[in-house]
Structures are given as C-alpha cells and as structure tokens.
Amino acid sequence: MSDVVGQVAQVSVYPVKSLAGREVPAAEVDDAGLRGDRAWSVVDADTGERVTVKTTPQLSSVVPTGDTEADTITLTEVLGRPVRLAASAAPQVDAAAVHLVSRSAIDRAAGGDVPEGCSADDPRANLLLQLSGGQDERAWVGRRLRVGTTELEVVRTPKHCLGVYAEVRTPGRVAEGDQVHLLD
C-alpha cells in the first residue's frame, strides 16, 4: 500500500563534490546514490588534500564541464592556486546517498525558516520534489519512498540544510515527473 505524495520536479547530479550541479532528465540510482554524483573531488595539487566548499565557498559557482583538464584549468584560475580533480574510490557523500528537498521547504526557507549554515538559494539536492496536500518531507524520517523504480529509506533531516537524506534500498531509475509514493 502506498500514497502518492507528489512528483519529481527536478533531478540533479553533482559530478564534482563542492561544485555546482547539472540538471538531468533522469538518473540511474545504485546503492551509493545517483550514478556519477560526487564521483570526483577537488584536491590541492601540492598537498593532495581535498578542497571543499566549506573552506572555499567560490567552488559552488563553478559548473563542471566533464572535461577534467578544462575543469582543472578553470578551478586553478578561480581559486588562484594549483588544484586538480581526483576520481573518488566511492561517491563523496556527507550524510546519505540521496538528498531530497521539496519546493515547500524552499518556500519555507524564503519565509525565514532556514537552518543555521544552510543555503536556501542552493540546497544542493539530488531530487527537487513538488509535494501535494500539505506534505512535509521532514515527517518522512524512518519511512520508505518509491520514486520511479527506486526505493529509498528516509534516514534523517540535515543539520545545516533543507529537506531530508535517504539511503537506497532498491536501486533503479528516477526521472523528472516520476510520482513519489510514501510506502507503509
């Protein structure tokens, strides 16, 4: 038994951790999240240490092209120091495999309901949801969702961000327009 609680308004993949994302019409989802999401990291060319948006906010404005050489040149110019892209052995997720945010959460944030340290302008979510009937994704913690052919388990709300985090229980595919089913 399931209830339709909304639909997917947008699917986004962030190929390089801390950089801007790319909107895609659909994505394959495996145990680690959306395929290709956060598969690369920016690292300091001299020390090999990861460079993240927390310490280098200007990263979030760079849109990766998929050409590692061109992206490295752009990042070096933007940051004013030598960096390189490094393929990650596993996706670089901070909390869970998939980040979901509703338009309602963005509207609440515009009204001032924003967690400290959160960017309401760019919640960096994989799935932007259009919810129906006054749904609030924060109430889904501990519940399962079916989105497209993927089943997710909502595990927690982010401390410094909008929406909810979910782990993948059944890999599959998600696409813009897919219904979101809240499972019993």
Side-chain angles (χ1 to χ4, degrees), residues 4-172:
V4 175
V5 294
Q7 70 178 24
V8 177
Q10 181 178 309
V11 179
S12 296
V13 174
Y14 297 82
V16 181
K17 183 166 177 60
S18 295
L19 299 191
R22 289 191 299 215
E23 189 176 329
V24 295
E28 295 297 321
V29 182
D30 55 33
D31 291 334
L34 279 67
R35 201 165 291 154
D37 192 54
R38 295 167 177 93
W40 295 84
S41 295
V42 179
V43 297
D44 185 284
D46 296 327
T47 67
E49 291 185 30
R50 271 190 353 172
V51 180
T52 68
V53 74
K54 290 178 184 174
T55 59
T56 316
Q58 60 268 44
L59 286 175
S60 66
S61 65
V62 178
V63 179
T65 65
D67 178 333
T68 56
E69 186 175 323
D71 290 343
T72 297
I73 292 167
T74 299
L75 286 163
T76 297
E77 289 173 359
V78 168
L79 300 179
R81 63 179 171 150
V83 295
R84 62 183 172 79
L85 294 180
S88 304
Q92 301 293 305
V93 296
D94 292 326
V98 181
H99 183 192
L100 304 95
V101 173
S102 69
R103 288 193 192 275
S104 306
I106 293 170
D107 291 344
R108 284 191 306 271
D113 183 9
V114 185
E116 185 177 333
C118 177
S119 170
D121 296 327
D122 181 18
R124 304 183 61 75
N126 297 116
L127 302 178
L128 176 63
L129 308 177
Q130 181 66 50
L131 302 181
S132 56
Q135 288 286 322
D136 183 339
E137 70 271 24
R138 297 174 294 186
W140 300 343
V141 174
R143 304 279 309 269
R144 292 176 301 119
L145 303 172
R146 188 174 64 249
V147 184
T149 60
T150 302
E151 186 176 309
L152 304 172
E153 181 178 348
V154 179
V155 293
R156 71 180 187 91
T157 57
K159 183 176 180 181
H160 297 294
C161 203
L162 303 176
V164 292
Y165 289 134
E167 294 295 348
V168 178
R169 294 296 168 236
T170 304

